[in-house]
Amino acid sequence: MAYVLGIDLGTSSLKGLLLDEHGKAVASAQKDYPLIHPKSGYSEQDPGQWILACEYVVDKLKDEVADFTEKLEGISFSGQMHSLVVLDEDNNVLRNAILWNDVRTTKQCKAITAAFGEELLAITKNIALEGFTLPKILWIQENEPEIWEKVRHLLLPKDYLGYWMTGTMHMDYSDAAGTLLLDAEKKEWAKPILEKFHIPATHLPELIGSSGMTGNLRPELANRFGFEKEVKIFAGGADNACAAIGAGIVNAETGMASIGTSGVFLAFEDSAEQDYQGKLHLFNHTIEDGYYSMGVTLAAGHSLNWFKDTFAPDSTFEELLEGMDAIKPGADGLLFTPYIVGERTPHVDSRIRGSFIGMDTNHTIKHFARAVLEGITFSLKDSQVLMEQVAGKSFKRIVSVGGGAKNPDWLQIQADVFDAEITCLEVEQGPGLGAAMLAAVGLGWFPTVTACADVFVAYKGVVRPIPENVAAYQEMYALYTQVYGATKEICHALAKE
């Protein structure tokens, strides 16, 4: 039995997931690393920490699995999107990586928008936001010119790890799509953008499909880990794209609702022609010639964590959410908007803030807790509605992953709010599963990612919408959609103060 290793290079940790040819998880390992915040709004990381974490994870798997070094055949990656790594002519890291959640680049985003306007959306299928890579490049050009003069290579996190393993530099289309430098339809670096912002094309790596082979593990690393045969390395994909294939989002009939710190509503797209006018992200998928659309709620699970930590610090989540089913849909007239750190979809607004509306003396902490769950789900529904209205989508099934899949009452809320059947994964392995699937496809175990998903991805249970609940939530959601416009001016005024 041969093995593949999926490596998920996340924001706070690196995880390794070892699978066999049947998609069975053999072992996993994880190593955390720190974030660096030199100033308010800055978020950075030392790329050397990723290498140390990777070495730790591989060593851990070697210790736990007796035939690991004998049977490992391929490695692929899932990586945090957008984060920028800059190297010099000797391939040395010049500064800490600037991460996706760094918000120092508002000025640069405005400059990009002013320079390209609608053309940027036409080329990249996305608008300029602080999280993307191009604004970070411009920030270095403007604020650290002495470093920019030395830059010869621009990489994303997983691609730097891939370079460390192979000695070659590549970037897959799904990760490149989040740089604002990729022509999404032509699947090539966008020359007008590069020329406008004085970025040499030679600074960018070779583009490749997600299951494309980038090289073999370097001999010195193979010897260091004790591998007995050549280990092939494959490009991998962006974390959301890998999470999507790991949840079986390989056709247009299935959507994904992912609730972590942030929330994502994601759907498969057959082409890049769908025009969401920048209200949703549209990225190249890890599936060949495929794409995916995605809406983002900035504070999904974060809203629930904030609520518990602030109002029920001595309760567990289980205790806080116990008895949700005894409260009617709509929390007896209490409405929550999860804009506590601003919002992304459909309102790109860093100054909007959250609210509870409709409070009265009959409301208990259980009402507030249910309202938080409902508000988070309403926020994700904003993305679903955009996909349905603009693209005419109709989801037969939505796969719930993350925190929203762990509570039966929240699953029922999702089924009722989305008005769709909700299912969960038999074993939720996250983006690491998608990365391992890409290695399996690259090795030729399966002809396509879709064929691999049929074997590697399994579901459990179905939660169906309850008609009277659906009707109640349709009324409540209609009110929810009015809150942003009604509170925007007030929130912006308060933010100025």
Side-chain angles (χ1 to χ4, degrees):
M1 186 67 69
Y3 298 144
V4 287
L5 174 60
I7 293 176
D8 176 26
L9 195 167
T11 309
S12 58
S13 66
L14 184 143
K15 302 172 184 175
L17 177 64
L18 189 67
L19 300 179
D20 66 19
E21 294 173 69
H22 300 299
K24 179 183 177 182
V26 178
S28 62
Q30 176 177 331
K31 179 66 173 177
D32 296 340
Y33 35 67
L35 288 166
I36 301 168
H37 300 291
K39 293 182 180 180
S40 176
Y42 286 34
S43 184
E44 301 183 351
Q45 216 152 46
D46 174 8
Q49 292 290 324
W50 305 332
I51 291 174
L52 293 175
C54 189
E55 289 179 322
Y56 173 88
V57 163
V58 175
D59 284 335
K60 188 76 171 175
L61 293 172
K62 179 180 175 181
D63 291 340
E64 292 185 6
V65 182
D67 56 359
F68 172 63
T69 56
E70 174 190 349
K71 295 184 177 179
L72 182 68
E73 292 191 358
I75 299 174
S76 191
F77 312 93
S78 161
Q80 50 167 296
M81 296 179 72
H82 314 305
S83 304
L84 174 64
V85 184
V86 292
L87 310 181
D88 66 14
E89 62 183 355
D90 296 318
N91 303 330
N92 297 312
V93 175
L94 286 166
R95 71 175 321 283
N96 288 333
I98 304 177
L99 300 194
W100 64 273
N101 56 353
D102 186 290
V103 294
R104 75 182 75 177
T105 56
T106 301
K107 174 186 173 184
Q108 287 72 32
C109 289
K110 291 179 179 178
I112 294 167
T113 301
F116 274 90
E118 292 297 319
E119 187 182 1
L120 182 73
L121 186 58
I123 295 171
T124 70
K125 307 304 176 183
N126 292 281
I127 60 175
L129 297 172
E130 287 85 353
F132 286 92
T133 315
L134 175 57
K136 305 179 198 310
I137 294 171
L138 302 191
W139 187 91
I140 291 178
Q141 288 179 345
E142 295 172 24
N143 295 276
E144 298 177 345
E146 71 287 354
I147 288 180
W148 179 249
E149 287 181 6
K150 298 177 183 178
V151 170
R152 294 297 178 270
H153 303 285
L154 302 165
L155 295 176
L156 298 178
K158 77 174 193 339
D159 306 312
Y160 176 68
L161 198 60
Y163 159 70
W164 171 70
M165 286 192 175
T166 63
T168 67
M169 295 185 189
H170 296 80
M171 188 182 298
D172 83 293
Y173 299 112
S174 72
D175 230 359
T179 63
L180 284 185
L181 294 170
L182 182 73
D183 187 314
E185 291 187 82
K186 294 180 180 179
K187 296 172 70 174
E188 62 185 31
W189 295 118
K191 292 180 182 178
I193 298 176
L194 298 181
E195 291 173 357
K196 176 65 179 179
F197 297 113
H198 310 291
I199 302 171
T202 53
H203 283 16
L204 295 166
E206 178 184 346
L207 290 165
I208 189 171
S210 295
S211 57
M213 183 176 168
T214 60
N216 292 314
L217 187 67
R218 291 188 291 120
E220 51 266 47
L221 287 179
N223 291 333
R224 182 248 186 269
F225 294 121
F227 291 116
E228 298 182 16
K229 56 184 176 183
E230 281 190 340
V231 177
K232 293 179 171 59
I233 311 299
F234 301 93
D239 52 6
N240 283 306
C242 286
I245 61 172
I249 312 302
V250 295
N251 60 61
E253 296 180 345
T254 305
M256 182 179 78
S258 174
I259 299 173
T261 301
S262 60
V264 166
F265 194 95
L266 183 149
F268 182 85
E269 300 281 350
D270 292 314
S271 74
E273 296 178 1
Q274 191 56 60
D275 183 11
Y276 290 111
Q277 299 180 335
K279 291 184 177 181
L280 293 171
H281 297 308
L282 185 63
F283 294 130
N284 300 67
H285 210 331
T286 50
I287 299 171
E288 186 175 0
D289 295 327
Y291 298 82
Y292 66 97
S293 52
M294 183 180 80
V296 178
T297 295
L298 290 181
H302 184 38
S303 289
L304 183 60
N305 288 336
W306 161 80
F307 179 77
K308 190 191 86 68
D309 292 345
T310 304
F311 299 105
D314 297 326
S315 297
T316 64
F317 283 107
E318 291 76 13
E319 291 169 342
L320 179 64
L321 301 180
E322 185 179 2
M324 286 296 103
D325 58 339
I327 299 174
K328 294 179 181 179
D332 288 333
L334 183 61
L335 184 62
F336 171 72
T337 58
Y339 306 147
I340 59 174
V341 295
E343 192 53 298
R344 175 75 58 82
T345 306
H347 316 292
V348 180
D349 190 340
S350 63
R351 292 190 292 165
I352 192 67
R353 289 296 179 265
S355 56
F356 282 104
I357 295 176
M359 291 179 283
D360 67 35
T361 56
N362 294 314
H363 289 137
T364 68
I365 192 168
K366 298 294 183 180
H367 289 89
F368 281 88
R370 183 172 183 114
V372 170
L373 300 187
E374 291 175 343
I376 294 166
T377 312
F378 286 149
S379 182
L380 292 172
K381 186 174 180 65
D382 281 339
S383 298
Q384 178 196 15
V385 169
L386 278 169
M387 293 174 186
E388 291 174 343
Q389 291 181 343
V390 176
K393 292 185 179 297
S394 178
F395 298 102
K396 291 184 177 180
R397 175 174 63 179
I398 294 173
V399 182
S400 180
V401 300
K406 296 176 181 178
N407 180 277
D409 293 326
W410 202 351
L411 287 172
Q412 187 64 59
I413 290 171
Q414 291 174 67
D416 296 335
V417 170
F418 297 142
D419 192 12
E421 291 186 352
I422 303 294
T423 189
C424 301
L425 296 170
E426 188 74 42
V427 180
E428 190 177 321
Q429 300 288 0
L433 173 58
M437 290 168 63
L438 294 172
V441 174
L443 287 167
W445 293 3
F446 301 92
T448 63
V449 171
T450 302
C452 183
D454 289 341
V455 176
F456 276 36
V457 182
Y459 303 100
K460 63 176 181 181
V462 174
V463 181
R464 294 179 174 84
I466 300 170
E468 54 266 36
N469 292 356
V470 172
Y473 279 129
Q474 286 174 342
E475 291 183 12
M476 202 71 173
Y477 177 68
L479 297 173
Y480 172 89
T481 60
Q482 298 178 44
V483 175
Y484 175 79
T487 62
K488 176 181 177 180
E489 185 176 343
I490 295 170
C491 290
H492 285 196
L494 291 171
K496 287 181 180 179
E497 294 174 4

